[in-house]
Amino acid sequence: MSWHVAIRMRMGSLDLDLDLRGDDTPVAIIGPNGSGKTTLLRTIAGAYAPDAGTIRVKEETLFDAEAGVDLPPERRGVGYVPQGYGLFPHLSVLDNVAFSWVSRGVARTERRHAALRLMERMGCAHLADRFPTKLSGGEQQRVALARALTAEPRMLLLDEPLAALDAPSRRQIRAYLAEHLTERRGPALVVSHEARDVHALGAFVYAIERGRVVQSGTPGALASAPATEFVAAFFEA
Amino acid sequence: MRFAGRPLLFLAAAPVLGLLVLPLVGLLVASSPADLAAGIGSPLFAPALWLSARTTAASLAVVVLAGTPLAWWLAVGSGRTTRVVEAVVDLPIVVPPAVVGIALLETFGRSGLLGPGLVRFGIQIPFTTLAVVLAQVVVSAPFYVQAAAAAFRRVDADLLIVARTLGQSQRGAFLRVAVPIALPGLIGGAALAWARALGEFGATLLFAGNLPGTTQTMPLAIYMALESDVRVAVALSLVLAAVSIFLLLALRLAPSAVARLQTRSARS
């Protein structure tokens, strides 16, 4: 078990009570809109504090309500790629990717070289001088993933990484994610809304509805014996 | 889109449009270059211009330094307190400047709310240059805070979470992500606030008086000049109008210029 999240919290009308755990392979989160998927990712990233519970990743306690542990986001070692990719519009692609090295005080030339090297490996070095608003969705997703990896996160959080893409780039990025997430061999939580994406990632699945886990298991297990209408519909298509 | 009633629309709009433009034309026509030179040469002109420049620079600095954190707080907050503070910030926009002047007197004046305390420390605020700055801060702050809060509200919250996960502290995320993204809005708000401070008349007259060199800013000098020499009043007005029009142009062009500058500095 490389990570374990057990939290209880209220966010507006949403009442969250979740217990999820996983190893070093990607885990997919599925669920209808408003079920708490994005809130879960942001909470792990440290944007919200749960009322109770613990968040542990790789032996490190990021949050523990009883022990009074609540690491700030910058010390949690999680990479977060929000829906819409979250690229900084005022920075070039290169500066976006080099951003975490700014935080760590790496010299300008050095961090730019490091960013370029990483982007070459991630197949997006040719975008270095462009600005995020001038990129296609697939290009933005590659850059956002590369940027998240620069912080060498213990855990990756991806919110609907394939949602806004057209069919061809969706196929491309799906394969790209599968390749890089398995190559990385670290825990990753991927919010997804399509069965094909879940299958491609080979991910263990948690289905969440109204703030609760309604079912978990392999995609095959969920597809053959869906516990709710949503899970059934999800794997039907 | 085609509008059948376009000429009619224009006719309906003409009175207001005319009232907006005609006075400026009148001002331009009223003065010959010789008049303008005489006005600029008047003993009222230079001290008032210098005082206006100094006081508005000071009040703008106060408004931006204190107003930026306030605007951020208003933008990220959502509770009832936030909404109450938001309404309080808007007050000076709806309260007449003369009322602001009296209110300031009743606060900082000798017999005002803080008066006895200030007197004990030998501090006198009314009818000093400090009073001019205070009046300008009160009347101009809402324009900046409103614009800045609106600009901050448009910054996607996810960008700040991402900045944090990439190693920035709360302050770092604010300075490196929120401020640069909101910058065009901040500059626009600052220009509006400066314009409002530059034109401030009523509150200044009541709270700071009309003392040449100490509290007599450009608008007050215009008021005084009108009683002795209309040419000086017109010359002062022309300069103020020119500055204002320049500000308006800068306001219109600032957002795209800032974006271009940011693009260029990122490239270099």
Side-chain angles (χ1 to χ4, degrees), chain A:
Chain A
M1 204 54 45
S2 90
W3 60 272
H4 181 203
V5 175
I7 50 168
R8 265 190 296 124
M9 63 192 291
R10 279 200 76 85
M11 280 289 289
S13 60
L14 183 65
D15 181 17
L16 226 60
D17 188 349
L18 295 169
D19 193 325
L20 299 84
R21 59 189 74 213
D23 52 18
D24 282 353
T25 55
V27 163
I29 311 280
I30 66 171
N33 287 339
S35 57
K37 297 167 292 179
T38 298
T39 306
L40 169 66
L41 294 199
R42 287 182 180 165
T43 304
I44 297 172
Y48 311 132
D51 301 322
T54 56
I55 301 173
R56 289 205 179 85
V57 180
K58 300 251 181 195
E59 264 90 79
E60 182 96 16
T61 302
L62 309 186
F63 180 87
D64 187 333
E66 264 178 42
V69 178
D70 185 5
L71 293 188
E74 63 269 30
R75 286 181 43 215
R76 292 195 171 202
V78 298
Y80 173 52
V81 179
Q83 218 175 344
Y85 321 117
L87 295 177
F88 305 131
H90 62 297
L91 298 177
S92 71
V93 165
L94 185 64
D95 286 330
N96 262 281
V97 175
F99 191 84
S100 78
W101 291 311
V102 175
S103 313
R104 277 182 274 164
V106 177
R108 189 178 163 90
T109 14
E110 206 178 313
R111 61 176 191 249
R112 292 190 152 210
H113 278 138
L116 267 176
R117 267 201 307 279
L118 176 69
M119 288 163 74
E120 255 156 42
R121 225 172 48 237
M122 306 285 290
C124 53
H126 60 290
L127 306 170
D129 288 333
R130 309 257 290 274
F131 274 78
T133 48
K134 308 273 185 222
L135 303 185
S136 72
E139 289 170 335
Q140 289 190 52
Q141 185 59 61
R142 282 165 193 259
V143 174
L145 186 64
R147 183 180 65 175
L149 292 177
T150 60
E152 287 158 29
R154 297 188 194 108
M155 184 180 208
L156 265 180
L157 308 169
L158 310 181
D159 198 350
E160 304 234 11
L162 304 163
L165 304 178
D166 54 37
S169 37
R170 200 183 169 95
R171 260 196 305 280
Q172 240 180 14
I173 297 291
R174 188 188 290 134
Y176 179 85
L177 275 182
E179 181 198 329
H180 284 278
L181 290 188
T182 40
E183 178 191 294
R184 212 184 132 257
R185 252 190 299 234
L189 265 177
V190 184
V191 171
S192 174
H193 71 191
E194 228 194 80
R196 230 178 309 173
D197 303 338
V198 174
H199 286 299
L201 291 173
F204 189 85
V205 184
Y206 277 97
I208 295 179
E209 289 181 40
R210 272 180 254 105
R212 304 283 188 284
V213 173
V214 291
Q215 195 175 9
S216 64
T218 61
L222 263 68
S224 59
T228 68
E229 271 175 46
F230 174 83
V231 177
F234 186 91
F235 285 102
E236 210 165 68

Side-chain angles (χ1 to χ4, degrees), chain B residues 39-111:
Chain B
I40 289 171
S42 123
L44 277 180
F45 187 85
L49 184 67
W50 176 224
L51 185 70
S52 271
R54 265 158 49 215
T55 53
T56 55
S59 62
L60 183 65
V62 173
V63 164
V64 169
L65 286 178
T68 309
L70 175 60
W72 177 248
W73 184 75
L74 288 176
V76 296
S78 56
R80 191 178 299 168
T81 329
T82 319
R83 256 166 291 152
V84 171
V85 173
E86 217 164 21
V88 170
V89 168
D90 284 354
L91 262 183
I93 294 181
V94 290
V95 172
V99 176
V100 172
I102 295 290
L104 283 169
L105 263 181
E106 292 304 322
T107 308
F108 296 100
R110 201 172 281 273
S111 56

Side-chain angles (χ1 to χ4, degrees), chain A residues 42 45 47 72-74 78 80 82-83 86-90 92 95 99-100 102-103 108 112 129 131 147-148 150-151, chain B residues 156-170 172-173 176-178 180-181 262-268:
Chain A
R42 287 182 180 165
E74 63 269 30
V78 298
Y80 173 52
Q83 218 175 344
L87 295 177
F88 305 131
H90 62 297
S92 71
D95 286 330
F99 191 84
S100 78
V102 175
S103 313
R108 189 178 163 90
R112 292 190 152 210
D129 288 333
F131 274 78
R147 183 180 65 175
T150 60
Chain B
D156 182 359
D158 266 330
L159 292 185
L160 298 164
I161 302 176
V162 168
R164 296 293 299 276
T165 63
L166 293 172
Q168 290 292 329
S169 63
Q170 207 161 4
R176 284 186 188 279
V177 175
I181 292 175
Q262 282 178 340
T263 309
R264 198 177 308 154
S265 69
R267 283 233 168 89
S268 67

Side-chain angles (χ1 to χ4, degrees), chain B residues 135-245:
Chain B
Q136 287 172 353
V137 168
V138 173
V139 299
S140 69
F143 291 91
Y144 177 73
V145 174
Q146 267 191 350
F152 281 139
R153 270 190 209 103
R154 285 193 296 269
V155 178
D156 182 359
D158 266 330
L159 292 185
L160 298 164
I161 302 176
V162 168
R164 296 293 299 276
T165 63
L166 293 172
Q168 290 292 329
S169 63
Q170 207 161 4
R171 216 181 88 149
F174 173 70
L175 292 176
R176 284 186 188 279
V177 175
V179 169
I181 292 175
L183 197 58
L186 301 186
I187 292 175
L192 265 183
W194 190 47
R196 177 64 188 87
L198 194 63
E200 168 37 41
F201 178 77
T204 312
L205 184 65
L206 291 167
F207 182 46
N210 193 355
L211 315 165
T214 319
T215 71
Q216 190 178 77
T217 55
M218 297 275 282
L220 291 160
I222 292 173
Y223 174 65
M224 183 174 259
L226 206 53
E227 292 183 342
S228 53
D229 188 348
V230 179
R231 286 178 314 169
V232 178
V234 170
L236 281 165
S237 301
L238 268 178
V239 172
L240 262 189
V243 171
S244 309
I245 289 168

